[in-house]
Amino acid sequence: MDNSIYPCLTLKGKITEAADFYIDTFGEGKIGQTSPYVIQIQLSGQKIMLLNDGPTSTPNPAISFMVTSEAAEDTEKYWNALIKGGKSMMALDKYEWSPKYGWVEDKYGVSWQLYTGSKSDTPQKFSPTYMFTGDQAGNAAEAIEFYTHVFPNSSIQGVMKYSKEDHDNINFIKHAQFRLNGFVSMAMDSSFDHGFHFNDAISIVVECDNQQEIDAYWTQLTTNGGQEVACGWLKDKYGLSWQIIPKALGKLLKDPVRAQRVMGALMQMKKLIIVDLENA
């Protein structure tokens, strides 16, 4: 797996216990890079970054993670672990689209859609799912088109609209699956007032090989209503948060003494400049 695109969860002061919790819950996991700022874990070969500081917002269901299992027993096992200290968003049950499905928010506020189905349809175990709701409702199709044009090796794999029986806008997307540089992502619209929207507690990290790549993603994602934030972070025109970082950043932060200098330089930047980080 390429792993150049992956999610980041801001869980202040809880990243060590959360890393252990997620590895215990899902299995097939290990801790990768660690620093005072982040712990990077791998679950079923996929990277997830846990961030110790940064945004003041907290996770909400506008971004959830679809977890695909072929065995209903695995889905149930994950549910039983995640529901402890968490809450049910949709009951673990049989639905028309899955023999065993449930939507649960864990004790850290992170939402998981636990789905039993064929891995031939979704070979990736964990897929971020973006809910376009509130003032973004109805923008899912446009956003998918936009993202698949920004990233190379991208494709739209399937789009399902609401039916009249779903009691939502029949022009809106009920479920869509697409790939960004091979990374499977999903999206949906919801016209109901959920009281939440995209925030920076969950962001999508894009590791870049060189400055040219950073510049290209930064320009495309901040234009037409996007916003530069700080330290390699930006918000796109839909409110989704991205971290556009050099692939070598982890190595630069490995040595504690150098890491302080690198972080000092990084904190002064909006778009990251690789040569300035290397010279810090």
Side-chain angles (χ1 to χ4, degrees):
M1 189 170 291
D2 179 39
N3 264 331
S4 62
I5 303 177
Y6 52 91
C8 172
L9 316 178
T10 302
L11 305 171
K12 291 188 180 182
K14 296 175 181 173
I15 63 172
T16 303
E17 66 169 78
D20 292 339
F21 175 69
Y22 291 136
I23 290 169
D24 287 346
T25 296
F26 294 109
E28 294 182 351
K30 63 180 182 180
I31 291 176
Q33 293 178 352
T34 62
S35 79
Y37 313 105
V38 301
I39 294 177
Q40 208 173 77
I41 60 173
Q42 285 205 11
L43 298 176
S44 296
Q46 290 180 242
K47 279 187 193 174
I48 298 178
M49 180 190 287
L50 306 177
L51 185 61
N52 213 18
D53 207 349
T56 56
S57 55
T58 53
N60 70 51
I63 300 179
S64 58
F65 295 94
M66 190 74 72
V67 184
T68 303
S69 304
E70 292 194 303
E73 297 77 22
D74 289 337
T75 298
E76 195 157 346
K77 183 178 73 175
Y78 302 151
W79 174 275
N80 290 338
L82 293 165
I83 197 71
K84 289 174 184 169
K87 64 181 181 182
S88 171
M89 309 287 288
M90 280 182 71
L92 183 68
D93 208 339
K94 180 179 181 179
Y95 293 88
E96 61 183 79
W97 61 86
S98 175
K100 184 78 79 170
Y101 167 93
W103 189 331
V104 59
E105 184 179 291
D106 71 24
K107 58 187 173 183
Y108 304 110
V110 180
S111 289
W112 307 87
Q113 295 191 58
L114 307 176
Y115 170 79
T116 309
S118 170
K119 285 192 176 177
S120 61
D121 298 328
T122 313
Q124 190 173 290
K125 180 81 173 174
F126 303 92
S127 304
T129 304
Y130 310 115
M131 185 192 293
F132 289 77
T133 185
D135 59 0
Q136 293 295 339
N139 284 339
E142 179 194 297
I144 292 166
E145 287 284 349
F146 174 64
Y147 296 142
T148 52
H149 278 91
V150 168
F151 291 90
N153 307 316
S154 297
S155 61
I156 300 171
Q157 296 174 282
V159 175
M160 182 193 300
K161 298 282 186 76
Y162 284 107
S163 67
K164 287 179 181 175
E165 291 75 37
D166 290 318
H167 306 295
D168 207 313
N169 190 322
I170 57 171
N171 296 312
F172 284 5
I173 288 179
K174 181 177 182 178
H175 180 79
Q177 183 169 308
F178 57 102
R179 287 175 183 258
L180 301 180
N181 205 5
F183 180 66
V184 177
S185 304
M186 300 176 182
M188 61 182 292
D189 290 304
S190 178
S191 58
F192 297 105
D193 182 12
H194 294 285
F196 55 73
H197 46 78
F198 298 134
N199 67 29
D200 49 8
I202 300 179
S203 56
I204 304 299
V205 181
V206 182
E207 290 187 357
C208 301
D209 288 322
N210 51 50
Q211 191 65 46
Q212 187 180 0
E213 232 178 277
I214 289 177
D215 293 349
Y217 288 135
W218 192 267
T219 300
Q220 291 176 88
L221 291 169
T222 56
T223 52
N224 300 320
Q227 178 189 347
E228 296 185 345
V229 182
C231 309
W233 291 62
L234 63 86
K235 280 191 178 183
D236 68 26
K237 57 186 173 182
Y238 306 105
L240 199 61
S241 290
W242 300 80
Q243 297 183 55
I244 311 299
I245 67 170
K247 199 163 277 183
L249 185 59
K251 288 180 183 173
L252 295 175
L253 295 173
K254 241 179 178 177
D255 171 43
V257 177
R258 189 181 190 189
Q260 287 190 320
R261 298 198 306 272
V262 172
M263 285 302 293
L266 184 146
M267 298 293 278
Q268 305 303 311
M269 302 178 188
K270 286 190 176 179
K271 181 176 73 174
L272 299 189
I273 308 299
I274 295 174
V275 66
D276 292 346
L277 295 172
E278 290 174 339
N279 292 335

